[in-house]
Amino acid sequence: FFLSLKLEKRTKGKLQKQICQVVLDHFEKQYTAELGDAWSSVRDVLTSPWCWQHVVLLNRFSQSPGLESSLAEQGYHPAFPAALPYLPAAFRCYTRTAPGRFPAQKHQPGTLKDYYLLNAASLLPVLALEVKDGEGVLDLCAAPGGKSVAILQCACPGHFHCNEYDDLRSRWLEQTIESFIPAPLINLITVSKLDGRQIGDLQSGFYDKVLVDAPCSNDRSWLFSADPQQAVLRLMQRKELSSLQFQLLRSAVKALRPGGSLVYSTCTLSQAENSDVISLILSSCSNVMPVDISGMARGVSQEFTLLSGMQQHELLVLPEQGRAWGPMYVAKLKKVPST
């Protein structure tokens, strides 16, 4: 017992030292103003990686007998309530309240992995998108590929376009897809390295569903920036992110067919990158309207801590002790015929 306590203290100390103070100070100022009293409990989770949690998303294309009973033995249970408006039967995901993670599987060419480990809140944009079999789907900023894999656990799109502009991240995306998706289905998937801001002009009105999991100031990883100078540069450039996010969102709207819908998501708490971007697209595009996702928010409110006072078309997951999911912002929009 004392040995484990010493190890825990040593681990905590090690991780505590890695917190980037300049980022924490910046967040302290901004999020105290934006979140009020909720920020202190969120900060406690974000600065304590030993309490972070992961869910196990099972791969429906891999035969893994005994995996579900093994998960049950270790205290895992189904992660999402059956009452959700959209929860396909093939979608199987397991969670437990204790922190720590299930062992990761290594990439082996030609062998499908049995499961994907991720933050449970990362699955909410996918469930909000409600992909159906046969639909044309675009994942605009797809790397590292967890949400693309999750979409394919829900349905088989008629055509699935996964895009990632960054060269290194694009290779990561390709490897993820190879690890989870069998060869016949991979033929339905296009992986590209296009500038997401241009896809709307290149493929106007082409897709039924678009996911914009936008590049953002990733609160969890930024807090542990190893290089303080890089952290300062990131914080200086942070103001420019909302402009990029707006351009990506506008491109996504162009790529949608009338009647199609899109989900916008980030893993930041920042209002400038979340609600403000959505408000700007709604005020500047006459052919876009918000979609009510309050039913989904109610359905997951037992598993997730959600910020109160959000609009019906959006939600924000706040990390909390014992439910250390998020941050994750999700908003849903629909394209209507131009007037």
Side-chain angles (χ1 to χ4, degrees), residues 18 30 32 58 70 76 95 97 113 126 147 179 216 229 233 266 280 285 308 316:
Q18 294 174 354
Q30 180 181 349
T32 299
L58 271 53
S70 172
Y76 283 85
T95 184
T97 50
K113 291 186 180 182
V126 172
K147 292 181 181 67
S179 293
C216 67
Q229 287 178 311
L233 188 63
T266 74
L280 186 57
C285 296
S308 59
L316 179 62

Side-chain angles (χ1 to χ4, degrees), residues 235-282:
L235 291 172
M236 286 168 61
Q237 294 171 337
R238 195 179 195 200
K239 296 185 191 75
E240 297 163 24
L241 276 169
S242 55
S243 172
L244 169 64
Q245 290 155 347
F246 173 76
Q247 290 171 61
L248 289 168
L249 205 42
R250 194 169 53 184
S251 175
V253 171
K254 286 181 183 175
L256 273 178
R257 63 164 181 81
S261 55
L262 72 81
V263 167
Y264 173 80
S265 61
T266 74
C267 51
T268 179
L269 298 161
S270 175
Q271 188 180 313
E273 298 176 53
N274 294 339
S275 298
D276 290 356
V277 173
I278 294 297
S279 296
L280 186 57
I281 204 85
L282 286 170

Side-chain angles (χ1 to χ4, degrees), residues 43-254:
R43 179 191 57 216
D44 290 346
V45 173
L46 291 182
T47 55
S48 310
W50 57 89
C51 78
W52 294 1
Q53 297 161 272
H54 292 82
V55 290
V56 183
L57 176 65
L58 271 53
N59 184 12
R60 67 178 172 134
F61 305 110
S62 169
Q63 299 302 316
S64 48
L67 177 56
E68 284 176 280
S69 56
S70 172
L71 285 164
E73 284 166 19
Q74 294 178 55
Y76 283 85
H77 60 271
F80 292 94
L84 278 184
Y86 173 85
L87 193 71
F91 184 86
R92 292 174 300 154
C93 185
Y94 288 84
T95 184
R96 66 176 180 184
T97 50
R101 60 191 290 165
F102 207 63
Q105 291 181 306
K106 286 187 178 153
H107 173 69
Q108 293 179 303
T111 304
L112 293 182
K113 291 186 180 182
D114 297 324
Y115 54 85
Y116 193 98
L117 302 175
L118 73 171
N119 186 311
S122 298
L123 294 167
L124 294 179
V126 172
L127 295 176
L129 196 60
E130 299 189 32
V131 175
K132 308 284 195 302
D133 288 349
E135 289 183 323
V137 181
L138 168 64
D139 189 349
L140 193 68
C141 315
K147 292 181 181 67
S148 298
V149 166
I151 285 169
L152 290 163
Q153 303 307 314
C154 293
C156 285
H159 173 65
F160 191 22
H161 181 177
C162 301
N163 182 69
E164 177 53 53
Y165 185 48
D166 182 87
D167 192 53
L168 188 66
R169 286 172 62 82
S170 182
R171 287 203 293 275
W172 189 3
L173 168 66
E174 285 181 344
Q175 188 181 92
T176 301
I177 289 171
E178 281 171 21
S179 293
F180 285 90
I181 311 305
L185 200 56
I186 281 184
N187 297 334
L188 300 174
I189 302 170
T190 302
V191 178
S192 67
K193 292 189 281 190
L194 300 166
D195 184 333
R197 294 169 292 187
Q198 297 170 359
I199 286 180
D201 289 323
L202 294 170
Q203 298 182 317
S204 178
F206 194 75
Y207 297 98
D208 300 293
K209 303 278 169 69
V210 178
L211 175 62
V212 185
D213 186 44
C216 67
S217 49
N218 183 325
D219 295 350
R220 280 187 187 236
S221 67
W222 279 30
L223 271 169
F224 294 88
S225 303
D227 182 350
Q229 287 178 311
Q230 185 194 39
V232 170
L233 188 63
R234 274 177 168 173
L235 291 172
M236 286 168 61
Q237 294 171 337
R238 195 179 195 200
K239 296 185 191 75
E240 297 163 24
L241 276 169
S242 55
S243 172
L244 169 64
Q245 290 155 347
F246 173 76
Q247 290 171 61
L248 289 168
L249 205 42
R250 194 169 53 184
S251 175
V253 171
K254 286 181 183 175

